[in-house]
Amino acid sequence: MKKLSSLNKQSFIQGTLILLAAGIINRMLGFIPRIVLPRVIGAEGVGLYQLGYPFFILLVTVITGGLPLAVAKMVAEAEGQNRPDKSKQILRTALALSLALGIFFTMVALASASWVSNVLLTDNRVFYTFIAMIPMLCIIAVSAVYRGYFQGRQNMIPSALSSVLESVIRIFAMLWFSWLLLPKGIAFAAAGAMIGVTVGEIAGMLALLWQYYFIVRKDRPEPGPQPEDSTDATVPKKEPSEAQPTGSLLKRLLGISIPVTAGRLVGSVSYLLESIITARSLALAGIATAVATAQYGALQGMVIPLLLLPGALTSSLAVSLVPSLSEAAARKDLSMIHKRMHQALRLALVTGAPFAVLMYILAVPLCSLLYGNADTAPMLRLIAPFAVFLYVQAPLQAALQAMDRPGRALVNTLIGAVVKILLILLLASQPQYGIYGAIIAIIANSILVTLLHGYSVVSLISLSLRIRDLFKIAAAMIIMGAGAQFAYTSIPVAGAQWIQFIFAATVGLLIYLGICLLSGLVSVRDMDRLPFIKRWR
């Protein structure tokens, strides 16, 4: 029983590490199609794939949005009260809601596909990609609820395993279908890549359902009330009086999820408007449709994913923070809230900073090695120094949501979105800026939203920021950058370009780690928390 329990619930650090491991694996796996796909269908094909994607994100946000977070929060409370039957009722209610929304918006998407591709977008070849992604809506609706359920039980293993399986299947399916449909044209090849994503989502959903049956159903004897659950004839009268009717659960689910959905909807609408306005602004700047599609594909399909690669940690922190902070807030344990926030922010900064440095210093070899040319390197170099704001943003937003302040996160995100769209309109439409105008707008958005989230969290819980740590990280970044630059340009290593790149990156990372240990940013105690370090010692 004890062994089962340890598998079904992890601590904050353990849960974060599990999701981090899965996130890193997924990001690494995700780069396989991002490296190979441009070589198969070209930057223009990637642009068609990316132009349709914001509409998909918008629909997914409306369908799921804050529902997984609401499920996680409510299940965490029910499990804390040792009431697994209430957890099951929450799961059933959330599934019914998400499936109803999924079916409705699937029909809406099918009906509007032609209008979206021919009227809203500048390139009507995106129609086939749009149609190919519609089947995913109901699949993701189901998967999102199950992920929220497992996260509410503070069991991150099912989410991690399903996401890794989904990534592996998606890679092979994307490349296979895009290659298979390439003879029919770039538009069909881009649609083939989206069909591959759908296949991956189906695999991820099936993995979650399998784990629900074999992990949740099989360990029912463990909690005290479980034997009573098997006699369903006597429970109904007892359970509703404690758990409230399904209507009340639905009302609470909506009460928690709607503000979060609204906040995420701002980001999704912003992303959608960004794709439409960027394409139209580039046209106003005199850039041909095919070239503009290729430039947008390079930015959204190559540069931004590379920039978000270290975000695996911040996403893991954000997911783990919600149940952990919700539990601490329910106990009114302010010291634990402060501790968790300091842990999350320090981890996000210390781990994200060196990647930002490497992407700035080694932008040219990195883009050459990954994408076969260095054309995207100037874009990456411009945006890389500001990536640290993105890495800190996720845990800050998760903290606001966990402490019932999703409205504050919504306002902050809305302000950032308005500023970004205005800057794209102002800058990207001018020939001297072009696509770099959109990049400047993205930078301004990430800085502004992160600062607003930070101010909101500090005001809400009276969190004292450790300014000295910020200066230490900045100094470590500068010294690391100088070391990596020197290693790449002044210490020749025999062999191919990738060997020189790995050598310079390793030198930079070792310098950074040494400074972090000497300055106290990372301690031996922090290292001891990692499972593989414990085994060695």
Side-chain angles (χ1 to χ4, degrees):
M1 280 305 179
K2 208 168 188 182
K3 199 166 183 182
L4 256 175
S5 178
S6 66
L7 281 171
N8 287 340
K9 185 174 180 179
Q10 300 94 35
S11 69
F12 171 69
I13 295 295
Q14 288 171 333
T16 300
L17 287 173
I18 289 167
L19 289 175
L20 173 59
I24 290 173
I25 292 169
N26 286 339
R27 298 292 171 104
M28 292 300 188
L29 290 173
F31 259 91
I32 296 174
R34 292 199 181 276
I35 293 167
V36 180
L37 198 61
R39 300 170 191 263
V40 175
I41 64 176
E44 194 176 347
V46 174
L48 290 173
Y49 174 86
Q50 289 296 146
L51 275 173
Y53 206 67
F55 288 92
F56 170 69
I57 295 297
L58 177 64
L59 291 172
V60 168
T61 302
V62 174
I63 294 166
T64 59
L67 197 56
L69 185 139
V71 171
K73 188 177 175 66
M74 291 175 66
V75 168
E77 292 170 358
E79 293 291 321
Q81 297 164 2
N82 197 23
R83 296 176 63 192
D85 289 329
K86 185 177 178 182
S87 296
K88 285 171 62 180
Q89 191 182 9
I90 292 165
L91 176 64
R92 288 193 298 267
T93 306
L95 278 173
L97 175 62
S98 64
L99 270 174
L101 289 170
I103 293 167
F104 174 75
F105 281 103
T106 294
M107 293 188 291
V108 170
L110 283 170
S112 62
S114 180
W115 177 76
V116 167
S117 55
N118 289 295
V119 178
L120 282 184
L121 295 175
T122 56
D123 199 325
N124 57 16
R125 293 174 298 172
V126 79
F127 173 79
Y128 303 104
T129 304
F130 192 86
I131 290 293
M133 67 188 172
I134 291 173
M136 272 190 281
L137 296 176
C138 287
I139 299 164
I140 290 176
V142 172
S143 298
V145 172
Y146 275 100
R147 285 196 171 98
Y149 175 78
F150 283 119
Q151 288 159 11
R153 297 187 72 198
Q154 298 188 43
N155 181 6
M156 307 303 172
I157 292 173
S159 294
L161 289 177
S162 67
S163 63
V164 171
L165 178 65
E166 174 199 320
S167 295
V168 172
I169 301 295
R170 186 179 69 235
I171 288 167
F172 289 105
M174 280 182 74
L175 298 177
W176 169 252
F177 283 111
S178 60
W179 176 80
L180 200 65
L181 294 174
L182 184 59
K184 293 181 175 292
I186 292 175
F188 284 94
M194 192 61 77
I195 291 171
V197 177
T198 304
V199 173
E201 289 290 347
I202 292 171
M205 180 189 70
L206 292 176
L208 283 168
L209 293 174
W210 181 85
Q211 288 175 99
Y212 175 77
Y213 181 79
F214 284 99
I215 294 176
V216 176
R217 295 278 174 90
K218 297 296 182 183
D219 69 344
R220 279 309 182 197
E222 187 183 36
Q226 285 321 58
E228 295 174 17
D229 186 47
S230 59
T231 58
D232 231 0
T234 56
V235 172
K237 290 199 173 183
K238 185 179 177 182
E239 187 63 30
S241 64
E242 297 181 13
Q244 298 180 346
T246 301
S248 299
L249 283 179
L250 179 61
K251 186 177 179 181
R252 180 140 192 260
L253 274 169
L254 291 171
I256 297 171
S257 64
I258 286 175
V260 178
T261 301
R264 292 181 180 172
L265 202 55
V266 169
S268 300
V269 171
S270 168
Y271 183 32
L272 174 59
L273 289 175
E274 179 188 330
S275 66
I276 297 170
I277 292 171
T278 299
R280 295 192 175 276
S281 296
L282 292 175
L284 287 173
I287 299 170
T289 299
V291 176
T293 301
Q295 286 185 347
Y296 185 77
L299 174 61
Q300 292 293 342
M302 301 179 195
V303 174
I304 298 297
L306 189 58
L307 197 75
L308 295 178
L309 182 61
L313 174 68
T314 57
S315 300
S316 306
L317 284 169
V319 171
S320 297
L321 263 178
V322 172
S324 182
L325 288 182
S326 297
E327 199 174 299
R331 296 196 311 264
K332 301 190 187 308
D333 190 348
L334 192 60
S335 63
M336 180 57 72
I337 293 173
H338 285 182
K339 179 184 176 183
R340 291 289 182 243
M341 282 308 305
H342 281 132
Q343 282 178 332
L345 293 175
R346 185 161 61 95
L347 275 169
L349 280 170
V350 169
T351 56
F355 291 98
V357 173
L358 290 179
M359 285 186 284
Y360 177 78
I361 298 295
L362 303 175
V364 173
L366 187 57
C367 291
S368 297
L369 291 168
L370 288 179
Y371 305 125
N373 65 71
D375 292 345
T376 54
M379 297 185 197
L380 180 61
R381 178 165 281 170
L382 176 60
I383 200 171
F386 305 97
V388 288
F389 289 96
L390 289 173
Y391 305 150
V392 174
Q393 193 175 119
L396 288 172
Q397 182 160 328
L400 290 172
Q401 292 166 351
M403 292 182 289
D404 295 323
R405 293 295 187 277
R408 187 67 255 173
L410 168 60
V411 172
N412 296 342
T413 307
L414 181 60
I415 292 170
V418 170
V419 170
K420 179 172 70 172
I421 297 302
L422 289 175
L423 284 174
I424 290 175
L425 280 169
L426 182 66
L427 299 176
S429 58
Q430 298 183 33
Q432 64 266 35
Y433 289 109
I435 194 67
Y436 291 96
I439 294 173
I440 292 168
I442 292 169
I443 291 170
N445 170 268
S446 63
I447 294 172
L448 180 59
V449 173
T450 303
L451 291 178
L452 289 172
H453 280 351
Y455 175 77
S456 300
V457 170
V458 168
S459 303
L460 179 63
I461 61 174
S462 303
L463 184 71
S464 58
L465 295 176
R466 295 171 179 173
I467 304 298
R468 280 189 304 175
D469 285 352
L470 299 179
F471 282 112
K472 288 176 184 178
I473 292 168
M477 290 173 71
I478 293 169
I479 297 168
M480 174 195 170
Q485 177 73 24
F486 181 79
Y488 188 76
T489 58
S490 303
I491 307 177
V493 177
Q497 184 187 31
W498 66 270
I499 297 176
Q500 185 76 42
F501 170 80
I502 290 175
F503 172 72
T506 303
V507 169
L509 289 171
L510 288 174
I511 291 171
Y512 181 81
L513 181 59
I515 295 170
C516 287
L517 287 169
L518 288 172
S519 64
L521 281 170
V522 176
S523 65
V524 176
R525 186 181 168 192
D526 292 327
M527 304 291 282
D528 276 343
R529 287 175 177 162
L530 301 175
F532 53 88
I533 297 286
K534 281 184 180 178
R535 288 194 204 106
W536 291 348
R537 290 184 60 136

